[in-house]
Amino acid sequence: MEQTDNFAYLLPFIFLVFGLIFLIAARWSDGSARYWGSGYICAAIGFAFPMLAYALPVEWQAVIANIPFFAAFFFYGQALLVRFKRPTWFLPRLVFAILAFVAITWVIVVRQDLRSQLALGDGSLAVLLAFSVAAVWRHARHVIDRLLVGMAALVVLETAVRVTALLAFTSADDYASLDQFLSSGYAFFMQVGASVIGFVMALTVLGSVMSDVITGHRRAAEHDPLTDLFNRRGFEQAVPTAGGGAFPAGAVVVGDIDHFKQVNDRFGHAAGDHVIIGFAQTLRANLAGAALARFGGEEFVAFLPGISQAEAARMAEQARMAFLAMGWQQHGIEETFSASFGVSMTAPGDHSVHDAISRADACLYIAKNSGRNRVIIEGQRPPEGPPPLRIVS
């Protein structure tokens, strides 16, 4: 009896701690963490309810005790659907939970049938969570996600087994059989098993939340916050490294917005940010398959693996023309802006992508000094006059 009492006190505390951890972690992770936190706090309240509401009539204890558990399983299902970006079916699931609770209340108050109430309550919880598990099952790609969905499925299975055992070992016409079953060691171990599964699922949730936090911090460390392109660090992680003394074949494109300082000076830094974002969008749209990075200010670098210099120059020319054609009236700017590009190829003697970037930078320098608003490829002589309005070949 003492072990049972200790277990009853410890379980709500454990679930409450997990719930609070998930709510705190929600600040740095995706939206599912707040639902996991809410679910575990509701479960903690449900487990603690018999100790908190001992003065209430037994019938009302039975009715009210179902509320936190329905809320917990509803939040668990919501967390799964949000994490895997599936439709939440919020209203249908809520209506089901409310109708199930009304039915349970009727069984308790009108029929005074504890056996049916237990079976209906646990069965409804299993259905509520099973819907979400079925909706996300095929969308678990990573190991931690598969573990998470698997643990949620195990909760559903354990709940279904518990309902089956209750119906199999008790009789609707014999209240003594129910009382004997609920006070048996078998029922106690089933309760312990359910709690252990809930605890292990909490550890799995904690792992997934921490994975999200780490991934989020890593993404922030490797991406430019304004354009969402790679920064220098992210770019170096994304491009291949030299193997066998040779860097993989590909092209490097370096782009720079012409006279960008004047944009900031004349129209303000907010307008300048919009121009940078627009340039990044242009590069993303026209340099398909490239590892794109903002190296700082208005300078952007792209690595295009496995393509020829002519193809890289054609893509850069498309980006130049698209950027030149962009309008900025919605940002209060009645002008257009241009950009210059340098294109180079990786070479057998390159030790890293920076060797090719240096040569593309030299081409960009030539483009700037020969009138801007043009694409210069490695080995090309400086052109004279304005850039031609055609694709570079």
Side-chain angles (χ1 to χ4, degrees), residues 279-322:
F279 189 48
Q281 292 172 343
T282 300
L283 296 178
R284 188 183 284 114
N286 290 278
L287 302 182
L292 277 166
R294 181 188 179 196
F295 266 36
E298 69 276 20
E299 183 180 0
F300 294 77
V301 175
F303 173 69
L304 296 121
I307 72 167
S308 66
Q309 182 172 268
E311 177 65 11
R314 185 190 67 80
M315 296 168 74
E317 179 69 6
Q318 285 183 336
R320 183 189 72 81
M321 295 290 292

Side-chain angles (χ1 to χ4, degrees), residues 188-255:
F188 172 72
F189 282 115
M190 285 185 66
Q191 181 186 7
V192 172
S195 303
V196 169
I197 291 173
F199 175 76
V200 176
M201 187 174 79
L203 293 178
T204 309
V205 173
L206 182 61
S208 69
V209 170
M210 292 299 102
S211 175
D212 290 345
V213 172
I214 293 171
T215 300
H217 282 294
R218 179 177 178 180
R219 179 174 179 80
E222 296 181 352
H223 284 73
D224 172 54
L226 181 62
T227 63
D228 200 37
L229 300 180
F230 287 122
N231 56 21
R232 285 177 180 266
R233 177 179 178 179
F235 181 79
E236 292 180 357
Q237 294 291 326
V239 299
T241 57
F247 192 80
V252 170
V253 177
V254 178

